[in-house]
Amino acid sequence: MAVETNTIVTTDLAPEITIDHIEKLVSGINSVRTILGINTMKPMAAGTTVYQYKYTKKNTPAQVAEGEVIPLTEYTRAKTAVAALELEKFRKQSTAEAIQKFGKQVAINDTDDLLLKEVQKSIKAKFFTTLAAGTGKATGSVVDLQHTLASIWGAMQVYFADVDVTPVYFVNPLDIADYLGGATITMQTAFGFTYVQNFLGLGTVIIDPSVAQKTVIATAQQNLNGVYVPASGDVASTLGLSFDSTGMVGMKHFTADDRASVDTLLVSGAWFYAEDKGGIFSAKITPAAGA
């Protein structure tokens, strides 16, 4: 008896569809890593706590004469737990009726793309949560976007005085839109992030609505880290997941006979965060009266 039209068989599901989506998601994560200036993603065990730190210099001892005891310079480090790393799980189901009506491409592949976007949103949301914990403040002229970026740039040069750092800024789209009224810039996109390289010669600017309007946040690329919970090993072998060479993403498609559907299972634990809270600076754009 002939197989029904539009029937999804095992060879349709794995490994081609799964591998394609894994490569797409991992490529997106690596694109963000490159934009943020993070060299490598570090694998960590599930349950590992991610901390943010604030360093404080307690004293500045005076210089002493030759032969005298040199006083100690003391630093303290206060740490705040952000959250425990977890392997996040996502599942989506395409019914036989949807496959029959719309075809495999729409019912499975296109909705898989929507699932990948949910993973993107999750990674972005966690990252901006760590940025919001920043304690650095910029002083100086903040009458418009350009002056505000310059003020933050100056504050970071002071804070990271002995380190060669590369700033990265985060700005609300509406604030960039105001600037675009009198200028032309080239924007690029990757993994749901819109960014401008070497904006005004100050560094990379990432444009995202996660940042409040009239607020600019910035830190040094050297203050940013990337970690992930591997979706390989026992997890992959037990659940039958396909994964990339790093194990950053695990995924599979399988038929659920009891529901006459095709399920998509995706697990990922990628996380970007800023480590030193004092090295995360923010400033409010405050136009001059009458401007």
Side-chain angles (χ1 to χ4, degrees):
M1 186 174 180
V3 177
E4 283 187 71
T5 303
N6 291 329
T7 297
I8 305 300
V9 295
T10 303
T11 53
D12 291 326
L13 300 177
E16 291 82 4
I17 294 177
T18 302
I19 291 175
D20 177 62
H21 286 304
I22 290 174
E23 290 178 348
K24 186 183 299 184
L25 185 55
V26 173
S27 176
I29 293 173
N30 284 330
S31 294
V32 176
R33 178 180 60 78
T34 301
I35 296 168
L36 297 177
I38 299 171
N39 292 325
T40 58
M41 297 287 288
K42 301 173 185 176
M44 292 188 174
T48 301
T49 301
V50 172
Y51 290 96
Q52 283 186 303
Y53 300 91
K54 183 177 181 181
Y55 297 86
T56 304
K57 183 180 179 181
K58 293 189 65 175
N59 64 333
T60 303
Q63 292 298 305
V64 297
E66 179 180 355
E68 292 184 358
V69 176
I70 303 169
L72 295 173
T73 301
E74 185 179 357
Y75 295 89
T76 60
R77 186 182 75 164
K79 67 179 183 178
T80 304
V82 180
L85 282 174
E86 298 295 345
L87 196 62
E88 294 194 324
K89 306 172 290 293
F90 303 85
R91 186 169 69 93
K92 185 217 67 176
Q93 192 171 85
S94 302
T95 63
E97 289 81 359
I99 295 168
Q100 192 280 328
K101 184 175 182 179
F102 301 108
K104 179 179 68 175
Q105 177 62 41
V106 173
I108 299 178
N109 290 2
D110 290 357
T111 53
D112 277 354
D113 286 336
L114 297 177
L115 187 66
L116 297 187
K117 290 179 180 178
E118 288 301 314
V119 179
Q120 293 179 14
K121 290 178 182 178
S122 174
I123 292 173
K124 285 176 60 177
K126 290 184 293 185
F127 175 58
F128 280 103
T129 295
T130 70
L131 290 179
T135 59
K137 300 295 180 184
T139 58
S141 176
V142 290
V143 296
D144 56 28
L145 177 61
Q146 184 171 351
H147 283 82
T148 304
L149 290 171
S151 294
I152 292 181
W153 178 88
M156 280 199 290
Q157 299 309 307
V158 173
Y159 187 84
F160 296 106
D162 299 322
V163 183
D164 185 14
V165 296
T166 304
V168 56
Y169 308 85
F170 304 88
V171 179
N172 185 280
L174 296 176
D175 296 322
I176 285 288
D178 289 341
Y179 177 84
L180 289 177
T184 301
I185 59 176
T186 300
M187 291 184 283
Q188 303 176 67
T189 59
F191 200 63
F193 285 86
T194 300
Y195 65 100
V196 181
Q197 292 181 318
N198 198 31
F199 185 68
L200 301 175
L202 297 173
T204 297
V205 169
I206 294 177
I207 306 162
D208 198 277
S210 300
V211 181
Q213 190 178 2
K214 300 299 181 185
T215 298
V216 176
I217 301 174
T219 190
Q221 290 183 345
Q222 291 76 6
N223 189 33
L224 298 174
N225 292 313
V227 296
Y228 68 97
V229 178
S232 52
D234 289 344
V235 172
S237 61
T238 302
L239 298 178
L241 301 176
S242 296
F243 52 91
D244 69 300
S245 58
T246 65
M248 200 182 310
V249 175
M251 189 177 187
K252 78 170 184 178
H253 291 80
F254 59 97
T255 56
D257 296 337
D258 59 340
R259 297 179 182 273
S261 65
V262 175
D263 283 21
T264 302
L265 175 64
L266 191 157
V267 295
S268 174
W271 197 344
F272 298 104
Y273 69 99
E275 184 174 12
D276 180 359
K277 293 196 295 185
I280 307 170
F281 290 83
S282 64
K284 293 284 187 180
I285 301 173
T286 309

